[in-house]
Amino acid sequence: MASDTRKKLIQIDVSSDTVCPWCFVGKKNLEKAMEQSKGKFDFEVRWHPFFLNPDAPKEGVKKSDFFKMKFGPVQYEGAMSRMTEIFRGLGLEYDMSGLTGNTMDSHRLITLAGHQGYDKQNVLVEELFLNYHCQGKYIGDKQVLLDAARKVGIEGAEELLEDPIKGVDEVQEELKKYSSDISGVPHFVINNKYQLSGGQPPNEFTRAFEMAAKDGT
């Protein structure tokens, strides 16, 4: 009798904000774990919205000024130094130039991408993380979002972003469903059961994959 060689599917729901550096770190560590486990499992990663600062201005403010005010100058320098080191460990350059601000438009675009395939959505999230955290681009800039959408091949992005209301209700529904009970991001839910928070190392993800697979979920 032929053995069953089908791999178990591991579904990963990620609550994240585009301006969260730890979310990018968590994504990279998750992907390392997925690469290490691809012989055992198939994966489906789905991204959901979270707002670290829901009242952030649409027009954006200087990133360095915002975080100096939030943390204080001494803590700011320490946090930036640590983040720079962590990003370099992932082969990335952490960039504190540019603006930060409201992330609703980025979440509207990410939600739209999810309807066109989760692999495509994942590539868009990567592009937006790179834009904001490594290239000094403002995630609230419509042209930045359109450029990212075109690069990834997201259809309907211009129509979406031309209308400030389009897709907002869906983002709010996603927020309520996936992120209403959490206080920080990144937050990962494996097969609707196992939860991890923060920029976890790859081995924590691989352990969660194994536990989820044993449950047969």
Side-chain angles (χ1 to χ4, degrees), residues 108-214:
R108 290 198 292 143
L109 187 61
I110 291 166
T111 303
L112 173 69
H115 294 301
Q116 298 175 27
Y118 291 118
D119 286 345
K120 189 177 281 191
Q121 185 189 52
N122 199 58
V123 177
L124 175 67
V125 169
E126 176 82 10
E127 182 67 18
L128 294 178
F129 276 153
L130 283 169
N131 286 174
Y132 178 80
H133 296 291
C134 301
Q135 297 167 358
K137 295 180 182 179
Y138 176 40
I139 217 68
D141 186 322
K142 189 176 100 171
Q143 193 58 52
V144 169
L145 295 172
L146 284 174
D147 288 346
R150 288 193 189 105
K151 185 173 180 179
V152 175
I154 306 300
E155 297 173 12
E158 190 155 7
E159 182 186 350
L160 174 83
L161 295 170
E162 284 291 342
D163 183 348
I165 304 300
K166 193 176 178 69
V168 169
D169 285 349
E170 190 176 1
V171 169
Q172 296 295 356
E173 287 167 13
E174 286 259 309
L175 190 69
K176 185 176 180 181
K177 183 176 180 180
Y178 293 99
S179 307
S180 60
D181 294 330
I182 62 175
S183 58
V185 285
H187 185 81
F188 306 86
V189 181
I190 317 293
N191 280 9
N192 297 311
K193 184 172 182 180
Y194 293 96
Q195 301 187 41
L196 294 168
S197 293
Q200 297 286 343
N203 65 298
E204 290 296 324
F205 288 111
T206 54
R207 189 172 69 161
F209 300 160
E210 295 288 349
M211 290 167 69
K214 282 178 185 175

Side-chain angles (χ1 to χ4, degrees), residues 61-64 67 76 80 94-100 131-138:
V61 295
K62 195 175 176 184
K63 205 185 289 186
S64 56
F67 288 107
Y76 165 81
M80 294 312 104
Y94 190 55
D95 187 333
M96 274 301 293
S97 66
L99 305 178
T100 189
N131 286 174
Y132 178 80
H133 296 291
C134 301
Q135 297 167 358
K137 295 180 182 179
Y138 176 40

Side-chain angles (χ1 to χ4, degrees), residues 27-99:
K27 182 179 188 294
K28 289 300 188 184
N29 287 343
L30 170 65
E31 287 169 348
K32 284 181 184 177
M34 288 165 56
E35 178 65 25
Q36 292 165 9
S37 305
K38 67 181 180 181
K40 292 183 180 180
F41 309 119
D42 287 323
F43 295 96
E44 182 179 87
V45 182
R46 306 179 291 201
W47 292 85
H48 308 291
F50 187 88
F51 292 94
L52 285 172
N53 185 8
D55 299 320
K58 172 85 172 156
E59 64 273 14
V61 295
K62 195 175 176 184
K63 205 185 289 186
S64 56
D65 290 347
F66 175 81
F67 288 107
K68 280 175 187 173
M69 189 175 293
K70 182 177 179 179
F71 296 120
V74 176
Q75 272 190 294
Y76 165 81
E77 292 298 336
M80 294 312 104
S81 177
R82 183 183 180 213
M83 214 71 246
T84 298
E85 188 177 335
I86 290 167
F87 267 57
R88 280 186 181 153
L90 296 169
L92 301 165
E93 284 297 321
Y94 190 55
D95 187 333
M96 274 301 293
S97 66
L99 305 178

